[in-house]
Amino acid sequence: MSRTSFIEYQGVRIALLNFAGIADTETALAAIAEAESIITQEPPRSVLTLTDVTGSHFDSTIVKALRQLAEHDRPFVRAGAVVGLSGLMRVILSTLVHLTGRDLRAFDTLEEAKQYLVQAK
């Protein structure tokens, strides 16, 4: 099952990184690698990403892989939104944004995130 796909919302193409419900490191790393492979096939500064991490488990290995993904995908991504973050995960996102220079914003719902991305296009 693919965890990265493109959806269309209000006529805007969005890369959906469905990392929801991931409970183990192996699955997370595979999903992250898949996302990187798909996003880097797109033209520079053309991708809007929506990452759903609802109910997922994170450890230091996964956080490191997410940082590498954010750094590697930076030339391809115009804006990014993340949903499903707990309090601690919001701190991790803030650190990732600081370290990678990426424009990643946290939202409470998928709808809010999609609305932001439509405006960021």
Side-chain angles (χ1 to χ4, degrees):
M1 174 183 134
S2 180
R3 285 193 170 265
T4 298
S5 60
F6 286 92
I7 61 170
E8 192 166 307
Y9 181 77
Q10 295 182 1
V12 176
R13 187 172 182 248
I14 298 171
L16 176 61
L17 285 63
N18 181 5
F19 296 167
I22 294 177
D24 64 275
T25 303
E26 184 178 323
T27 302
L29 295 178
I32 292 166
E34 176 191 38
E36 180 178 306
S37 173
I38 291 171
I39 290 170
T40 57
Q41 292 178 34
E42 299 298 314
R45 303 274 306 146
S46 69
V47 182
L48 299 170
T49 62
L50 172 52
T51 306
D52 183 358
V53 297
T54 305
S56 291
H57 161 77
F58 289 87
D59 61 22
S60 61
T61 301
I62 295 169
V63 171
K64 181 179 177 184
L66 287 169
R67 177 182 174 187
Q68 290 170 340
L69 174 67
E71 289 173 342
H72 191 266
D73 288 354
R74 182 175 32 182
F76 303 92
V77 177
R78 187 168 49 239
V82 183
V83 296
L85 296 171
S86 67
L88 177 59
M89 290 167 57
R90 285 180 183 262
V91 172
I92 292 169
L93 177 66
S94 178
T95 302
L96 284 174
V97 167
H98 177 73
L99 292 173
T100 65
R102 286 281 306 277
D103 179 14
L104 294 168
R105 306 220 182 150
F107 294 90
D108 293 328
T109 69
L110 287 168
E111 187 65 27
E112 290 171 338
K114 288 189 273 188
Q115 286 292 328
Y116 163 73
L117 291 170
V118 165
Q119 293 173 15
K121 74 172 180 95

